[in-house]
Amino acid sequence: MSPQTLGRTLIIANPAAYSGKGENAVLFATRYFSSFYSTASSCEVRLIEGPDDAQRMASDTHGYQSVIALGGDRTIHEIVNGLMRLDEQNRPRLGIIPMGSSNDFARTLGMPRNDPANAISELLHGEERRIDLGRVNDVYFVQTLSFGIDAAIAIDSTDRASKNKQAGSHLFVTSGIKIIVSGLRGWPYQAVVDGEIIEGMDFAFAVQNGPTYGGGFRICPDAVPNDGQLDLCLTVDDLSVPQSLKLFGLIRTGKHTKSSSIAMRRMRELTVRFQSDDVPPCQADGEKLVAREYHICVVPLALRVVTPANCPW
C-alpha cells in the first residue's frame, strides 16, 4: 500500500513522556515530516509545557486535517477532549505516536508502542476508522474509566511512572499489591446500568472502551471501540485481601471473567453513586476525577482515528 497524505497536520507532543524519551521522539518526528513532504501538506509541532496545554491546543485546530498525539494515554486523553470541543465538520482525524508507560489505547489500535519510526509508518500506511468514546459527567475518555481500588491502583502507578524504572504492567502490579495489602476494602455503591439497579462494594469497577488498562491488564477482554457500547467489569462480592490478590492476578490475563465474584456486561448508560462519607478515587485514561456521583454513557462513532491496516477489530 502506498503512503497516504495526512494533509495539514499538527503534532501535539509531550517531550517529558516515557521518562523523558518523548523528547527524542519529537526530534525524530520533526525531522521525518520535514524531510518527506509528500506525507503531509504541512506539519507543525507544538510542545506541551504544562497542565491543560494539550487540550487547549487540540481545541484550536480548525483547518487541520490531522492531529497527531505524541505521548502517553493521558496526553491522548487531553487531546481528545480538546478535539471534542470542535463541531464534527471541523474536527480533524486523530493519529498517535505512542510514547508512554501504559500505552493501552495504542494496544487497542494495534499501534507500535514507544517506537516512533514504526508508529509513523503505520500512520502513513494505515486506515481511517471511527471509534466510540466514553463520556463521564462532562469528560470524554478513549480507553478506560475506573473507580475505587481499581482507580487507586491506576493513579498510584501513574504517579510513580516518571520516578520509577518499572513501566507498564510491572508498575501496575507493584502498585496493585501495595494498595491491596494496605487493607483498602473498597467503597459501597449503588448503580443504574441501562435501567437496572445494582448495589455492591467495589474492588474491580471499570468501564472500558478498549480491552486493557494498566499496561495490558485485560480487564474487559472482549471490548472493542466501535460497537456502540462500553464494557463493564465489577465485583459482586466483598473480598478479603487474599481473595483480592488472587483476583488481581487473574485480571492480568483476563481469566477473572470466569470468577463468580465478577460480573461482566456491555452497556450504553450508567449512573453510579458512592454511599460512603469519603469520595473514592476515580480516573479516566489516567486523569483524576473527583465527584460523588457519575453519569457515564457511550458516544457512538464520535472520533475519526488512523489505525494500522491490520487493526485487530
Side-chain angles (χ1 to χ4, degrees):
M1 182 185 297
S2 59
Q4 65 173 324
T5 178
L6 298 175
R8 188 182 178 205
T9 299
L10 173 65
I11 299 175
I12 300 177
N14 180 9
Y18 199 40
S19 301
K21 295 181 178 69
E23 186 172 4
N24 288 333
V26 173
L27 293 173
F28 179 87
T30 301
R31 286 196 301 266
Y32 188 96
F33 284 102
S34 298
S35 301
F36 297 96
Y37 300 107
S38 62
T39 59
S41 58
S42 67
C43 184
E44 179 185 351
V45 179
R46 298 181 189 170
L47 300 182
I48 299 166
E49 296 179 351
D52 301 323
D53 276 0
Q55 182 168 321
R56 176 181 52 78
M57 293 172 186
S59 67
D60 183 26
T61 51
H62 181 76
Y64 288 90
Q65 281 74 55
S66 302
V67 169
I68 297 175
L70 191 158
D73 287 331
R74 286 194 296 174
T75 297
I76 295 167
H77 172 87
E78 281 195 42
I79 289 171
V80 166
N81 275 273
L83 291 175
M84 292 304 291
R85 292 182 178 181
L86 303 170
D87 59 69
E88 187 173 359
Q89 292 77 12
N90 295 316
R91 190 179 301 145
R93 70 173 72 89
L94 174 71
I96 64 171
I97 300 175
M99 293 295 298
S101 175
S102 296
N103 290 321
D104 283 298
F105 185 55
R107 285 181 170 83
T108 295
L109 300 187
M111 286 292 290
R113 305 184 297 275
N114 301 322
D115 184 350
N118 280 324
I120 290 172
S121 177
E122 292 289 2
L123 287 176
L124 297 177
H125 294 87
E127 299 177 356
E128 181 184 300
R129 301 170 191 246
R130 283 190 172 271
I131 65 165
D132 308 327
L133 295 176
R135 186 171 65 212
V136 50
N137 296 349
D138 58 350
V139 175
Y140 294 92
F141 60 96
V142 295
Q143 181 75 9
T144 181
L145 169 74
S146 63
F147 305 97
I149 293 176
D150 256 347
I153 295 169
I155 290 168
D156 185 74
S157 62
T158 298
D159 289 345
R160 294 169 56 221
S162 62
K163 309 167 189 174
N164 201 294
K165 292 182 179 179
Q166 293 179 318
S169 61
H170 298 292
L171 191 60
F172 198 75
V173 166
T174 54
S175 287
I177 293 171
K178 180 178 78 171
I179 296 296
I180 293 169
V181 300
S182 72
L184 199 62
R185 297 296 299 276
W187 286 260
Y189 66 85
Q190 182 180 75
V192 181
V193 186
D194 289 338
E196 178 186 348
I197 298 174
I198 58 174
E199 294 181 336
M201 177 78 75
D202 84 85
F203 167 74
F205 197 135
V207 181
Q208 294 285 131
N209 194 35
T212 68
Y213 69 178
F217 273 66
R218 298 185 60 79
I219 184 72
C220 291
D222 297 326
V224 291
N226 65 345
D227 62 355
Q229 300 178 95
L230 299 171
D231 282 49
L232 174 63
C233 173
L234 52 84
T235 42
V236 293
D237 295 325
D238 186 6
L239 303 176
S240 67
V241 169
Q243 289 172 322
S244 298
L245 286 170
K246 180 180 179 180
L247 191 61
F248 183 64
L250 294 174
I251 291 172
R252 188 167 191 174
T253 57
K255 294 180 180 178
H256 64 293
T257 59
K258 298 178 181 179
S259 169
S260 60
S261 297
I262 287 288
M264 306 289 300
R265 63 186 296 168
R266 288 197 166 100
M267 45 146 282
R268 291 183 173 84
E269 192 169 9
L270 161 69
T271 298
V272 57
R273 179 182 297 108
F274 289 92
Q275 299 171 318
S276 57
D277 292 334
D278 60 325
V279 177
C282 174
Q283 66 83 30
D285 298 328
E287 290 287 347
K288 298 177 186 178
L289 302 178
V290 179
R292 190 171 297 281
E293 181 172 322
Y294 298 90
H295 177 69
I296 302 106
C297 65
V298 65
V299 187
L301 304 180
L303 190 66
R304 294 179 297 134
V305 298
V306 181
T307 72
N310 62 347
C311 177
W313 39 271

